[in-house]
Amino acid sequence: MSGGSLIISNLDKDQDTGVYQCTAFNAWGSILSRRASLQFAYLDNFKTQTVRSAVNVREGQGVVLLCGPPLHSGELTFAWIFNEYPNFIQQDSRRFISQETGSLYIAKVEPSDVGNYTCVVNNTVTREKVLSSPTPLVLRNDGVMGEYEPKIEVHFPDSVPAAKESAVKLECFALGNPVPEISWRRTSGIPFPSKVKMKNSNAVLEIPNFQQEDAGTYECMAENRRGKNAARGRISFHAKPHWLQTMADTALSIEESLFWECKANGKPKPSYSWLKNGDTVTPEGRVQIENGALSIAALNLSDSGMYQCVAENKHGIIYSSAQLMVLASPPSFAKSPLRAVLKARSGSEVTLECKPQASPPAISLWKKGNEILQRTERITLLPNGTLKIANVTKRDAASYTCVAKNQFGTASTTGRLLITEPTRITMRPTNMEIIVGESIVLPCQIACDPALDVSFSWAFNGQLIDFQRDSDHFERVGGTISGDLMIRNIQLNHGGKYVCVIDTDVESLSTSAILVVKGPPGPPDKVAVEEITDSTAQISWTPGRDNGSPITGYIIQARTPFTVGWQAVDTVPEVVNGNMLTAAVVGLNAWVEYEFRVVARNAVGLGEPSPASAKTRTEDAIPDTAPTDVGGGGGTKSELVITWEPVPEELQNGEGFGYIIAFRPVGTVTWTRAVISTPGVARYVFRNDTIPPFSPFDVKVGAYNNRGEGPFSSIGTVFNLSPYNYDLGIIVYWEDDTKPDTVGKVRISGNYTLVNITGLKANTVYYLSVAAFNTAGPGPQSAPINSTTKKPHRAPLNIQWTMIGSTLTLHWDPVVAVETESKVTGYLVGPDSLTILTNKTTAELSLSANDNYLIQIKAMSEGGEGVGSEPIHIHKLSECTVAFASFYRFLFFFFLTMDKA
């Protein structure tokens, strides 16, 4: 023995062959291992070594040469030698060696087959090999055997048992002239699966990993032109046992009954036996065995031990083990005593359990104080020892004792019952509607018996609120009898059902409320341009969430490469109500790329804008805007100079944009036309030496593109030569005195000695020089002087605004000029259409409720405008919405001012 292993040295076949089992044991019992069989492989010699009798056959006849293997143990393989070693017979369709019998089969003898045949037997375990005596094969001289139908000499049994997952081999070989062909099939018609293989010219059929579905009747067919013959046999599926149900370790009290059942599946159906501590259990008296079931009545201590259920068939044996522990002990409440104090609400039902550990089970009784309790209408004593008292009152408050007893002893446990008054909810939360960003307190207050321990918890939409994790919004406030819930800065996702749960020692109560959170609408979605022309677009969208307040309307905004941010656009209908999901945008510029978005509003306010639509270009059109500020003059005496303000790109309405310049001497009818195809040019010079000096001309400028000509400007009068053309001045300025390459020039017409130069860089040193100029050219420059420009003023800060009705009131902090900035002379306030100039830090603007406004404030000085403030967007709103928004902002700035104070 080595641990649990058995080592046998110097093995002896006669002494050591047999079946072995290991027994494992401890203080609780013993069990047997599965069986192990020890066998010895061997191979004896053939009994006689003399030459065997000759076998005489005719040519064309079939023959069988028998091997007759000697005594052996272990698997054998067979081969045959023809005449001399190592000339082994090669199997083909005419010759076959059966690995079942070892015999050699020749379906049709030929003259070349004459000779001596020796059977070679190999033991695959011991690798021993023995040879039989030679068997001579002699050809008879009485003629050739004629053709005949196949005769099956090798075939498998009528019934072949096959174990699950085993490898099955079926042999089939026939004698015949001509040599027969072998084929196989299943009589059920089911084709062979791919795992089935044919070997040795189909004489052997192999089925690896045999399964239930491989069972059935197999047929071998031998056929030649003289006829055919068949052999059939049925392969049946066999399997070693495997467990379907086993028993488990069991502890039972003395005098109780045991019932164990084990079930196994197998083919053939397994038989059962039972072992106790390695010995066979015999059914008698209290012990009964039936179909794998073991029952023992009236257990005693001697029945304790290790039991094994054994299931066995011809293919294997399996064991299942379990321990039976028979208990005998007095009652004990060590693991299940009564609570020292048990609280119960007046009017409720109280349950007191008596669960002692005892073997056999104990008989119990209850005492109230020193009196034994009896059953009444309110008092119930259950068979398992449980005491129930219905509709308890203050009179039931007392000490209760459970006494348990069996033949081994007695034990008791005592607890005091305390009756409390019912808990009442004195203040409950109510259903509420609230606006996003506000804060509320949901009340939850109670009146309760002072003897009770009370705890409060809150659930939101079925999930317990974690006050530590969600402390940004949720806080429980109140004392021991108050569980109020404060919700700060309420968000849309805080809408839902809130439940206050009150737990005491004796009961659990709850109260709930629905909180509806309202907010501005969510962003619309899927904004699309359904149809577009040169000036209109049909826009569609899908609504966003109304966030607790119905959507009352939509605002459509647009953005182009030429606008500053998003701007509200005109629509048809003019007011888009909340039920609409499409609208026509009008007043668009032709041949401009637009993006659109939609903003929803409800009673709470404006929501977030939708995602932008795909960029879409309006169709082109003939220009509808004429150049402005048409004028000119100057030049030499033979030149007519015409100037104008170029048409912005967003108003050019298409590709191929240019200008048509028309002019004529005043008083004449015929116009002279010139065309300029460069959109950015703003000047045209007509040269003609015959033009008299100071001649007046009617001039007008029009626009065109690939779609055609647009309107002309109004007619203006331009002289071909200015009266001051011969009395000009020129101012030259530059930034660096050492490298005057950043040169700018300003020309002055007339007898002026003062000029305002614009467009300079801020906070920069400039050098300047003045020269006179006439038609002969410039005169000498004056000595240069230098001057430093001031910095532009910073933007006004802390802008506050309120809007009441159509009046917008603005306040801001004054801009104080520093040394490098010029003195502030005032402030420029408003949109382009309503700009006002004021020297105060407050302003009022009257706005239309039907327009959109972009308002900025800039500081003014002698140097011009400073940096604009952060723009204020005022969207066109209905009267009531304007009032609401103004009031809302008034409250905001009021609280902001109070906070600063």
Side-chain angles (χ1 to χ4, degrees):
M1 290 283 292
S2 175
S5 300
L6 174 64
I7 301 172
I8 305 175
S9 57
N10 300 319
L11 284 169
D12 180 87
K13 181 176 70 173
D14 295 329
Q15 181 179 347
D16 298 325
T17 298
V19 177
Y20 292 77
Q21 278 183 290
C22 171
T23 301
F25 58 90
N26 61 14
W28 301 104
S30 59
I31 57 173
L32 285 179
S33 72
R34 65 183 181 181
R35 297 170 186 170
S37 175
L38 177 60
Q39 296 177 321
F40 291 84
Y42 65 91
L43 178 61
D44 288 348
N45 289 316
F46 282 92
K47 290 183 179 180
T48 175
Q49 294 299 320
T50 60
V51 176
R52 295 184 177 186
S53 301
V55 177
N56 298 292
V57 295
R58 296 164 63 186
E59 181 182 349
Q61 184 180 356
V63 69
V64 179
L65 301 182
L66 302 178
C67 179
L71 295 175
H72 64 278
S73 176
E75 184 179 358
L76 303 180
T77 62
F78 300 93
W80 283 79
I81 298 174
F82 179 54
N83 288 333
E84 60 183 16
Y85 182 85
N87 187 16
F88 286 94
I89 296 294
Q90 300 300 314
Q91 299 183 75
D92 51 27
S93 61
R94 195 172 63 85
R95 294 174 294 186
F96 174 69
I97 301 173
S98 171
Q99 297 302 313
E100 297 290 338
T101 65
S103 298
L104 170 63
Y105 300 84
I106 303 176
K108 173 189 173 187
V109 174
E110 298 177 352
S112 59
D113 295 326
V114 173
N116 292 318
Y117 290 82
T118 302
C119 179
V120 181
V121 182
N122 292 278
N123 190 310
T124 59
V125 181
T126 64
R127 300 182 182 275
E128 294 176 291
K129 178 170 63 178
V130 294
L131 278 67
S132 70
S133 300
T135 300
L137 180 63
V138 179
L139 205 61
R140 290 166 53 178
N141 55 11
D142 54 352
V144 177
M145 182 76 170
E147 294 183 355
Y148 62 96
E149 67 180 15
K151 179 184 178 184
I152 296 178
E153 288 289 341
V154 180
H155 60 79
F156 50 95
D158 293 338
S159 178
V160 179
K164 180 182 179 181
E165 299 177 354
S166 65
V168 177
K169 292 184 180 180
L170 304 180
E171 293 184 343
C172 181
F173 192 77
L175 310 181
N177 185 8
V179 175
E181 293 183 357
I182 306 297
S183 61
W184 294 83
R185 74 180 187 94
R186 296 182 70 170
T187 58
S188 64
I190 300 174
F192 292 130
S194 59
K195 68 178 181 179
V196 174
K197 307 296 182 185
M198 312 286 184
K199 295 185 176 180
N200 296 346
S201 301
N202 292 353
V204 178
L205 174 74
E206 288 190 359
I207 308 173
N209 189 29
F210 190 82
Q211 300 295 326
Q212 178 77 54
E213 59 269 19
D214 296 321
T217 301
Y218 287 72
E219 181 182 81
C220 162
M221 179 71 71
E223 185 174 7
N224 64 12
R225 62 173 173 260
R226 302 301 295 180
K228 58 185 176 181
N229 208 341
R232 291 183 179 180
R234 178 170 182 80
I235 307 179
S236 56
F237 177 80
H238 284 211
K240 63 183 179 181
H242 65 273
W243 290 118
L244 300 176
Q245 176 182 328
T246 59
M247 67 280 198
D249 292 342
T250 301
L252 294 173
S253 296
I254 192 171
E255 297 180 1
E256 288 188 314
S257 295
L258 168 73
F259 180 80
W260 268 335
E261 185 176 20
C262 57
K263 294 181 181 178
N265 199 4
K267 195 168 183 182
K269 185 177 181 180
S271 59
Y272 301 93
S273 59
W274 286 83
L275 305 174
K276 177 189 175 185
N277 294 329
D279 297 326
T280 300
V281 176
T282 302
E284 59 181 355
R286 296 182 304 111
V287 180
Q288 296 297 320
I289 299 175
E290 184 177 357
N291 295 329
L294 170 66
S295 59
I296 305 176
L299 290 170
N300 56 51
L301 294 177
S302 65
D303 293 322
S304 297
M306 295 299 300
Y307 288 78
Q308 289 178 282
C309 179
V310 184
E312 181 178 10
N313 67 10
K314 61 187 294 186
H315 298 289
I317 182 171
I318 53 176
Y319 296 80
S320 174
S321 304
Q323 179 188 3
L324 173 61
M325 184 180 296
V326 180
L327 305 175
S329 63
S332 170
F333 288 98
K335 293 185 178 181
S336 56
L338 284 175
R339 289 169 56 183
V341 177
L342 177 66
K343 300 174 184 178
R345 177 176 57 85
S346 176
S348 65
E349 180 181 83
V350 174
T351 299
L352 301 177
E353 292 185 334
C354 183
K355 290 185 175 181
Q357 289 182 305
S359 297
I363 298 174
S364 60
L365 60 84
W366 282 91
K367 291 183 178 181
K368 178 182 178 183
N370 294 322
E371 297 179 1
I372 297 177
L373 276 177
Q374 303 294 332
R375 288 185 176 86
T376 67
E377 291 183 354
R378 291 193 308 113
I379 297 175
T380 303
L381 298 172
L382 299 180
N384 64 358
T386 298
L387 166 64
K388 287 189 176 183
I389 308 174
N391 193 22
V392 293
T393 66
K394 291 284 187 179
R395 292 191 303 272
D396 294 313
S399 293
Y400 288 82
T401 302
C402 176
V403 181
K405 181 179 181 181
N406 67 9
Q407 66 259 44
F408 298 109
T410 302
S412 64
T413 179
T414 300
R416 184 166 64 90
L417 179 60
L418 179 64
I419 308 302
T420 62
E421 293 298 324
T423 302
R424 294 180 296 106
I425 299 176
T426 58
M427 185 173 292
R428 303 172 181 268
T430 58
N431 296 341
M432 299 181 66
E433 293 184 354
I434 192 167
I435 304 299
V436 166
E438 296 181 352
S439 299
I440 61 165
V441 173
L442 297 180
C444 184
Q445 299 179 13
I446 62 169
C448 66
D449 193 301
L452 293 175
D453 293 326
V454 181
S455 66
F456 294 87
S457 60
W458 281 87
F460 170 52
N461 288 340
Q463 296 293 323
L464 200 64
I465 295 177
D466 186 332
F467 288 98
Q468 289 187 337
R469 185 187 63 194
D470 300 325
S471 60
D472 289 345
H473 296 285
F474 296 108
E475 180 183 356
R476 198 182 74 77
V477 294
T480 57
I481 60 171
S482 176
D484 297 350
L485 173 66
M486 174 181 283
I487 312 175
R488 294 187 296 269
N489 187 22
I490 287 179
Q491 301 300 305
L492 289 172
N493 61 357
H494 292 149
K497 183 177 183 180
Y498 288 81
V499 179
C500 175
V501 180
I502 306 104
D503 289 307
T504 71
D505 304 300
V506 298
E507 60 187 327
S508 180
L509 299 85
S510 66
T511 180
S512 64
I514 303 296
L515 185 62
V516 177
V517 181
K518 295 184 176 182
D525 196 15
K526 298 180 182 177
V527 178
V529 180
E530 303 290 347
E531 186 178 344
I532 195 162
T533 67
D534 60 347
S535 62
T536 66
Q538 189 71 29
I539 308 299
S540 67
W541 61 91
T542 58
R545 297 168 58 95
D546 64 10
N547 291 335
S549 179
I551 296 173
T552 57
Y554 293 96
I555 297 172
I556 300 177
Q557 299 174 337
R559 179 173 65 182
T560 75
F562 312 108
T563 59
V564 179
W566 292 90
Q567 305 291 333
V569 292
D570 294 330
T571 59
V572 175
E574 184 175 352
V575 176
V576 181
N577 65 49
N579 296 323
M580 298 177 64
L581 296 176
T582 182
V585 177
V586 297
L588 303 179
N589 293 328
W591 201 245
V592 173
E593 193 171 64
Y594 280 89
E595 294 176 275
F596 298 94
R597 71 182 187 184
V598 181
V599 181
R601 65 169 174 250
N602 60 13
V604 180
L606 288 175
E608 292 294 319
S610 70
S613 69
K615 293 180 179 180
T616 307
R617 186 181 291 273
T618 51
E619 296 178 348
D620 58 355
I622 296 173
D624 53 12
T625 303
T628 58
D629 294 338
V630 176
T636 66
K637 63 180 180 178
S638 59
E639 292 180 342
L640 173 63
V641 179
I642 303 171
T643 61
W644 62 90
E645 182 69 25
V647 175
E649 182 181 349
E650 64 267 29
L651 301 177
Q652 293 175 4
N653 287 9
E655 294 181 321
F657 184 83
Y659 300 100
I660 303 171
I661 298 91
F663 54 92
R664 67 187 178 188
V666 173
T668 63
V669 176
T670 304
W671 292 91
T672 300
R673 291 164 58 107
V675 175
I676 295 178
S677 60
T678 305
V681 172
R683 186 172 182 269
Y684 172 73
V685 179
F686 174 71
R687 293 178 175 86
N688 191 325
D689 293 338
T690 64
I691 301 175
F694 312 117
S695 298
F697 283 80
D698 291 332
V699 298
K700 62 180 180 179
V701 182
Y704 74 93
N705 61 19
N706 289 345
R707 290 292 300 273
E709 294 185 8
F712 276 86
S713 67
S714 57
I715 298 174
T717 302
V718 175
F719 290 85
N720 74 314
L721 188 63
S722 171
Y724 303 104
N725 229 25
Y726 295 95
D727 187 8
L728 302 176
I730 184 169
I731 296 176
V732 181
Y733 57 92
W734 63 94
E735 295 180 25
D736 191 335
D737 190 33
T738 61
K739 296 179 181 179
D741 54 352
T742 55
V743 175
K745 295 180 180 180
V746 177
R747 293 195 180 195
I748 306 169
S749 299
N751 189 19
Y752 291 102
T753 61
L754 179 67
V755 69
N756 186 27
I757 302 175
T758 62
L760 302 180
K761 296 180 181 178
N763 197 30
T764 304
V765 178
Y766 281 92
Y767 296 85
L768 303 96
S769 182
V770 182
F773 185 89
N774 61 19
T775 55
Q781 294 184 4
S782 68
I785 63 170
N786 66 71
S787 181
T788 302
T789 57
K790 302 290 186 178
K791 286 184 179 179
H793 285 294
R794 291 153 292 144
L797 300 176
N798 293 330
I799 299 172
Q800 301 176 13
W801 63 273
T802 59
M803 187 168 180
I804 301 176
S806 61
T807 301
L808 175 68
T809 304
L810 300 111
H811 301 267
W812 62 90
D813 291 347
V815 177
V816 180
V818 297
E819 183 180 351
T820 57
E821 297 175 340
S822 55
K823 181 180 179 182
V824 175
T825 59
Y827 298 93
L828 197 64
V829 183
D832 293 341
S833 59
L834 294 174
T835 300
I836 63 171
L837 185 61
T838 179
N839 58 3
K840 299 179 181 179
T841 58
T842 180
E844 287 189 355
L845 298 175
S846 293
L847 306 180
S848 170
N850 296 320
D851 292 324
N852 299 297
Y853 296 95
L854 183 68
I855 296 172
Q856 282 187 301
I857 305 173
K858 301 177 182 177
M860 297 294 294
S861 68
E862 294 177 355
E865 301 175 3
V867 178
S869 66
E870 186 73 21
I872 300 171
H873 296 267
I874 305 295
H875 297 287
K876 60 181 180 181
L877 301 170
S878 66
E879 184 176 349
C880 64
T881 307
V882 169
F884 177 81
S886 301
F887 178 68
Y888 191 77
R889 289 185 174 88
F890 170 76
L891 289 178
F892 173 81
F893 287 114
F894 172 77
F895 286 117
L896 180 65
T897 305
M898 294 295 291
D899 182 61
K900 288 184 176 179

